[in-house]
Amino acid sequence: MPLEVWLPALNTGLIVVSGAFLLLGFVFVKRGNVPAHKASMLTATAFAGLFLIVYVTRYVVLGETRFTQEGFIKAVYLGLLAVHIVAAIALVPLVLVTLRRALGGNFERHKRIARITFPTWLFVAASGWVIYWMLQRM
C-alpha cells in the first residue's frame, strides 16, 4: 500500500483513538474514577502527540493535500478546515495548561480550564476525521 494512502489513514486513526480516550476520560471523571480519568487523559494526550508527529512527517514527506471538489462543497470544506486549524492551534496551549494544573494538583483551576479544553479537543478530533474523509474518501 502506498505511503500516501496509509499515512493519512494512520494519522486519522491516531486522532480518533485520542478522541475516544478523551471521551472515556470524561466518563470516568463524571463517575468519580479519578485514576481511570488520569490514565485516559494521559493516553489521549500521548495519541494526540503521536498524531502531531505523524502529521508533520506526512506533510514534510508528501506535501500538501489538495481538495479537488468544486462549488458549494469546497466552501464547506474550506470553512471547516479554517475553524479546525484555529481550534487545533488554540488546543495545544490549552492541553498543556490543563495537564500542568492536573498533574500539579491544582484541581479547581484544572476543572475551570478543562471545561474549555474538553469541547475544543473533541471538536478538533471530530473535525479532523471529517476533513480526512472529505479529502480521502469523498
Side-chain angles (χ1 to χ4, degrees):
M1 183 181 299
L3 188 65
E4 55 274 351
V5 172
W6 69 262
L7 203 52
L10 170 65
N11 215 28
T12 301
L14 292 170
I15 204 62
V16 167
V17 171
S18 176
F21 276 98
L22 177 70
L23 288 170
L24 275 174
F26 180 78
V27 169
F28 285 134
V29 79
K30 288 298 179 187
R31 292 183 177 172
N33 189 342
V34 175
H37 168 72
K38 180 179 179 181
S40 293
M41 299 314 290
L42 290 174
T43 302
T45 303
F47 274 91
L50 288 171
F51 163 83
L52 285 172
I53 292 167
V54 172
Y55 180 83
V56 170
T57 301
R58 183 186 65 143
Y59 186 81
V60 168
V61 171
L62 298 177
E64 184 178 333
T65 304
R66 298 255 179 211
F67 187 72
T68 58
Q69 303 291 323
E70 294 295 329
F72 177 73
I73 195 67
K74 186 167 190 169
V76 170
Y77 169 79
L78 292 174
L80 178 62
L81 181 63
V83 175
H84 172 80
I85 289 170
V86 170
I89 290 168
L91 182 60
V92 173
L94 282 170
V95 168
L96 294 174
V97 171
T98 304
L99 281 172
R100 187 182 76 227
R101 289 179 180 178
L103 296 173
N106 194 341
F107 298 116
E108 284 307 311
R109 292 183 73 208
H110 165 74
K111 283 192 262 185
R112 279 200 305 262
I113 196 168
R115 288 185 178 111
I116 299 165
T117 306
F118 173 75
T120 305
W121 193 341
L122 199 55
F123 171 78
V124 169
S127 62
W129 183 85
V130 172
I131 289 165
Y132 165 79
W133 179 79
M134 291 179 84
L135 275 173
Q136 303 293 328
R137 304 292 178 212
M138 238 175 98

